[in-house]
Amino acid sequence: MIQSMTAYARIEHKAQWGNASWEIRSVNQRYLETYLRLPEHFRNLEPMLRDRLRKRLNRGKVEVNLRYDIKDDDNNELQLNQDLAKQVIQAANWVRDQASQGELNVVDVLRWPGVMSSSEQDMDALGKELLTAFDSAIDQFIEARGREGEAIKTMLDTRLDAIVEQVAVVREHMPAVMQWQREKLTNRLAEIKEDLDPARLEQEMVILAQKMDVAEEMDRLDAHVEETRRILKKGGAQGRRLDFMMQEFNRESNTLASKSISAEVTAAAVELKVLIEQMREQIQNVE
């Protein structure tokens, strides 16, 4: 399955500590570019997030946004370690008595490590939860890319069918075009009174036939259609291959247009260029 580079996914994670949501969106880009918007508390997750994205995505400009809200409850209240505070006070009083100077500052006692604490969330454990939720968001995001890619594939298959039809139209008209051109040239030469060298005349007819012959272009267009269908069936990151195929399609359609000497072939060449351009625009979004 081919995947589009344009997609969006959002997933919410609810826990006892609060809620969090991941948003992932992307647009087409030649290479993989990642932009992360994380709260300051979770900046340490950036390397792991980028690594996850690189392992599962190949191309696209990807933006990731994390929002979280921690519940404001009694568990976040400050707590006093009374035993430790008593030890700190006793030690401070002893130092003051020995030095015979200074005063005990209560605020300094409270600042002593461990005297005051809060039951803050374990940020490491919370980070693991968020990474698990992010993995689910990536799964949803890739599924969205796949659905969009399937829609693009359907459109491309339709355009490929139309190209085959136009090639058939040209093949159908070419014998009549060749006959018409031969008769036109013969009648024109019959009007010339001067004697003509039969060998030279035959040579000119061969050169004209070669210039008008588009069988090679028709065969190549058929081959390009088959190759493009093979690429679509194979799936995966095929955007660059498909873009190359559009260049090949364009080359053959341009040659066909330059050789055209009838309204039917010209119309077919124009229609081919329209179909190829429609495919090329969609392929710009394929990963």
Side-chain angles (χ1 to χ4, degrees):
M1 175 188 298
I2 64 172
Q3 293 188 348
S4 170
M5 286 188 285
T6 303
Y8 172 83
R10 184 178 187 276
I11 192 169
E12 292 188 7
H13 177 69
K14 296 183 178 180
Q16 293 182 349
W17 49 262
N19 302 322
S21 65
W22 287 103
E23 287 186 355
I24 309 177
R25 67 185 71 214
S26 69
V27 295
N28 58 332
Q29 180 65 276
R30 188 174 182 182
Y31 303 104
L32 177 63
E33 295 184 8
T34 56
Y35 299 88
L36 307 179
R37 296 179 181 177
L38 307 177
E40 194 62 34
H41 300 301
F42 301 108
R43 290 292 182 186
N44 62 312
L45 298 180
E46 283 195 11
M48 290 171 281
L49 295 175
R50 294 186 189 279
D51 183 63
R52 280 167 161 78
L53 292 171
R54 282 194 299 268
K55 287 181 177 179
R56 304 193 63 181
L57 305 175
N58 293 282
R59 299 173 65 197
K61 179 181 178 181
V62 183
E63 296 183 5
V64 177
N65 188 23
L66 169 63
R67 294 185 176 89
Y68 83 108
D69 180 26
I70 295 181
K71 292 180 180 178
D72 186 13
D73 54 29
D74 295 337
N75 293 329
N76 291 328
E77 293 181 355
L78 291 175
Q79 297 179 358
L80 173 64
N81 188 334
Q82 296 183 6
D83 293 336
L84 180 58
K86 289 177 181 179
Q87 295 177 26
V88 173
I89 292 173
Q90 291 174 359
N93 286 333
W94 184 86
V95 172
R96 183 194 61 187
D97 293 341
Q98 294 298 316
S100 299
Q101 61 179 354
E103 296 182 358
L104 179 63
N105 190 325
V106 178
V107 176
D108 290 338
V109 175
L110 295 176
R111 288 176 176 173
W112 190 265
V115 173
M116 297 297 299
S117 64
S118 63
S119 56
E120 294 181 353
Q121 296 293 329
D122 184 345
M123 300 305 288
D124 290 338
L126 197 154
K128 291 180 180 179
E129 285 188 44
L130 292 177
L131 286 175
T132 300
F134 182 71
D135 289 336
S136 299
I138 292 181
D139 291 339
Q140 186 183 109
F141 177 70
I142 291 178
E143 288 177 2
R145 277 190 159 198
R147 289 192 299 271
E148 183 69 19
E150 190 62 27
I152 293 176
K153 180 180 180 299
T154 300
M155 189 282 295
L156 294 177
D157 284 333
T158 301
R159 299 304 186 275
L160 290 173
D161 290 339
I163 288 177
V164 172
E165 292 176 2
Q166 293 302 318
V167 170
V169 169
V170 174
R171 278 203 171 100
E172 181 182 355
H173 282 87
M174 281 311 298
V177 171
M178 295 290 290
Q179 182 62 29
W180 171 80
Q181 184 64 18
R182 179 179 291 274
E183 291 177 357
K184 179 181 178 182
L185 181 60
T186 302
N187 294 334
R188 178 58 179 162
L189 293 176
E191 297 176 358
I192 302 177
K193 303 300 183 180
E194 299 178 1
D195 294 334
L196 296 176
D197 182 3
R200 180 59 185 275
L201 176 60
E202 185 64 24
Q203 184 180 9
E204 292 297 329
M205 293 291 291
V206 170
I207 294 175
L208 179 61
Q210 290 176 344
K211 290 181 178 180
M212 294 171 51
D213 186 14
V214 294
E216 184 177 354
E217 286 72 20
M218 298 296 96
D219 291 341
R220 286 179 179 174
L221 284 171
D222 284 338
H224 295 339
V225 169
E226 293 303 316
E227 177 64 15
T228 303
R229 283 178 170 159
R230 187 193 67 80
I231 294 172
L232 292 173
K233 184 178 180 180
K234 182 178 180 181
Q238 302 289 349
R240 291 188 176 92
R241 290 180 181 273
L242 291 172
D243 189 61
F244 172 76
M245 293 307 303
M246 294 306 103
Q247 297 178 33
E248 295 300 302
F249 272 113
N250 261 323
R251 181 177 293 109
E252 303 307 329
S253 65
N254 288 336
T255 304
L256 177 63
S258 66
K259 290 185 176 182
S260 175
I261 59 171
S262 72
E264 292 81 1
V265 177
T266 299
V270 171
E271 183 62 21
L272 282 172
K273 295 183 73 66
V274 171
L275 293 169
I276 294 166
E277 181 61 22
Q278 290 174 349
M279 290 196 297
R280 191 193 66 80
E281 290 178 356
Q282 292 297 324
I283 286 171
Q284 299 306 307
N285 293 321
V286 175
E287 184 179 24

